[in-house]
Amino acid sequence: DGTKAAAPEPKVQTEVRRVPQSLEEVDNGQILGFGADLAEDHPGFKDQAYKDRRMAIADIARAHRVGDPIPRLEYTSEEVHVWNTVLRELRGLYPDGACAEFQRCFPLFDFKEDVVPQLEDLSQILKRETGWQIRPVAGLLHPRDFLNGLAFQTFHSTQYMRHPSKPMYTPEPDLCHELLGHVPMLADPDFCDMVHSIGVASLCADDSQIWHLTKIYWFTVEFGVVLEGDEKKAFGAGILSSYGEMEHMRTGKAYFVPFDPHAKQPKMSYKDGYQNRYFVLKSFKDGAQKLRDYCSDITPPDIMVEREISGQAFKEICM
Ligand code: NLE
Ligand code: FE2
């Protein structure tokens, strides 16, 4: 009939990812590593009782529903002993090695050497101080899910104890790392704002931005140091929870470079032992500002300033 067939639409492959509207929509089941399947080089690899215990604790995290209290665990005397050792050693190093914000927040939790704290109690204290909360998780989450949790002022935390043969350092998150490294810092409002900005940016980030944000998180929240006068003090949880790493950082074996979130970030190392390089913030506020600048390239500026995240705001901007 003379009419030409319409040219076929070009095929465009788009990936549609639903931006979580609430914490319930952040998946806490995709565990990348350090779950109950331990690698051969893990100190607990040959310790079946340790692996069974971790499996049981991981199951508790998997069964937890947002809004329910975090189940209390009864820790074994061996686990209490590990906690005791780590807390005692670190307590002696904090006055010289930890940043001022940490020192101010640490006493809020009233940690006792002979009692392993319960996540639920610490989550309550955080809610009161900064509005943050803890959600239990079975192991190392996928970075997107982990960072998304931060947008909802939620810190995903493991609940098992490191292996007793190596209390001074573990390559993976464990209870000592979460409670001594992360929890006290999350009682500081400026620190929380900084971490929150990483979380909010992660909601709308594409995969390559997620990896960049993960590295930013790693080199600040996990291993960052901050200048106080001309001294370098730890605020990164991986330093604050390891008396081996804290000593290492303090004794000049590593080198220090200024933190720049816009720069290409080096590889993160998960299990090669202590960091050989630490990133330095000029001050806590300066670091927070730098992070905000970087994150505002990813996230529309009007949701950057919202401390309370509302589902509606995401819907309008990200969906
Ligand atoms: N190396 C830290 C510690 O021993 O507490 C844990 C780091 C987890 C990323
Ligand atoms: Fe951590």
Side-chain angles (χ1 to χ4, degrees):
D1 62 5
T3 54
K4 276 197 199 148
E9 289 281 314
K11 277 193 188 148
V12 183
Q13 294 250 335
T14 47
E15 188 202 338
V16 179
R17 188 188 307 104
R18 188 180 156 75
V19 173
Q21 304 292 298
S22 65
L23 182 62
E24 283 87 342
E25 294 182 20
V26 177
D27 182 6
N28 74 340
Q30 204 189 334
I31 304 303
L32 285 192
F34 301 128
D37 284 335
L38 304 182
E40 248 171 86
D41 58 353
H42 189 286
F45 181 67
K46 291 209 176 104
D47 186 340
Q48 193 54 46
Y50 180 75
K51 290 206 265 193
D52 292 346
R53 172 76 169 150
R54 280 185 56 149
M55 194 79 86
I57 295 177
D59 287 344
I60 292 172
R62 277 193 203 95
H64 178 260
R65 293 290 157 260
V66 173
D68 290 349
I70 305 169
R72 289 172 187 277
L73 292 192
E74 208 174 301
Y75 288 96
T76 64
S77 55
E78 191 174 56
E79 287 165 335
V80 175
H81 184 71
V82 175
W83 165 255
N84 179 303
T85 306
V86 175
L87 177 58
R88 221 167 357 91
E89 292 285 345
L90 282 169
R91 214 174 228 154
L93 301 175
Y94 289 149
D96 279 341
C99 69
E101 289 79 0
F102 181 89
Q103 313 241 29
R104 183 184 68 75
C105 294
F106 186 71
L108 296 172
F109 300 92
D110 197 18
F111 293 128
K112 305 258 188 294
E113 279 160 19
D114 50 356
V115 186
V116 179
Q118 298 289 335
L119 291 184
E120 177 60 25
D121 294 336
L122 304 179
S123 190
Q124 294 294 339
I125 297 173
L126 287 180
K127 271 189 201 150
R128 191 186 70 210
E129 294 294 322
T130 53
W132 280 64
Q133 64 176 340
I134 295 171
R135 185 187 192 194
V137 69
L140 192 70
L141 267 188
H142 187 283
R144 177 180 292 281
D145 299 325
F146 183 81
L147 297 178
N148 282 183
L150 304 174
F152 299 99
Q153 293 171 295
T154 300
F155 189 81
H156 284 90
S157 168
T158 56
Q159 208 172 2
Y160 56 81
M161 190 64 76
R162 63 189 58 192
H163 194 263
S165 64
K166 282 205 170 161
M168 76 188 305
Y169 176 87
T170 163
E172 58 178 343
D174 83 315
L175 203 52
C176 291
H177 170 68
E178 319 285 21
L179 304 194
L180 296 170
H182 288 291
V183 166
M185 290 306 301
L186 289 169
D188 181 76
D190 288 339
F191 178 80
C192 285
D193 281 350
M194 173 176 101
V195 181
H196 192 228
S197 70
I198 301 177
V200 172
S202 78
L203 290 172
C204 299
D206 63 26
D207 285 350
S208 84
Q209 288 167 330
I210 284 289
W211 286 108
H212 190 79
L213 284 170
T214 302
K215 287 179 171 181
I216 285 179
Y217 177 90
W218 184 258
F219 292 118
T220 57
V221 179
E222 292 294 352
F223 290 104
V225 303
V226 61
L227 279 180
E228 285 176 13
D230 51 11
E231 286 200 87
K232 296 178 190 78
K233 305 283 187 174
F235 74 89
I239 311 174
L240 292 166
S241 67
S242 163
Y243 53 96
E245 180 110 25
M246 184 78 117
E247 293 260 325
H248 171 78
M249 187 277 280
R250 301 278 295 163
T251 47
K253 296 185 182 105
Y255 63 98
F256 295 89
V257 287
F259 177 67
D260 173 10
H262 293 275
K264 183 170 160 49
Q265 304 295 309
K267 237 178 113 195
M268 298 179 289
S269 80
Y270 277 90
K271 51 181 195 177
D272 308 340
Y274 308 138
Q275 306 290 305
N276 60 7
R277 160 182 42 198
Y278 297 95
F279 287 90
V280 186
L281 304 184
K282 239 192 279 167
S283 73
F284 220 60
K285 285 213 187 309
D286 182 63
Q289 191 53 51
K290 284 207 170 86
L291 270 173
R292 273 179 216 293
D293 290 348
Y294 172 75
C295 291
S296 66
D297 292 347
I298 300 181
T299 314
D302 44 346
I303 66 171
M304 288 300 297
V305 292
E306 283 187 29
R307 207 182 142 78
E308 284 311 317
I309 290 289
S310 91
Q312 194 51 38
F314 296 151
K315 221 177 254 151
E316 281 159 11
I317 295 158
C318 302
M319 304 270 300

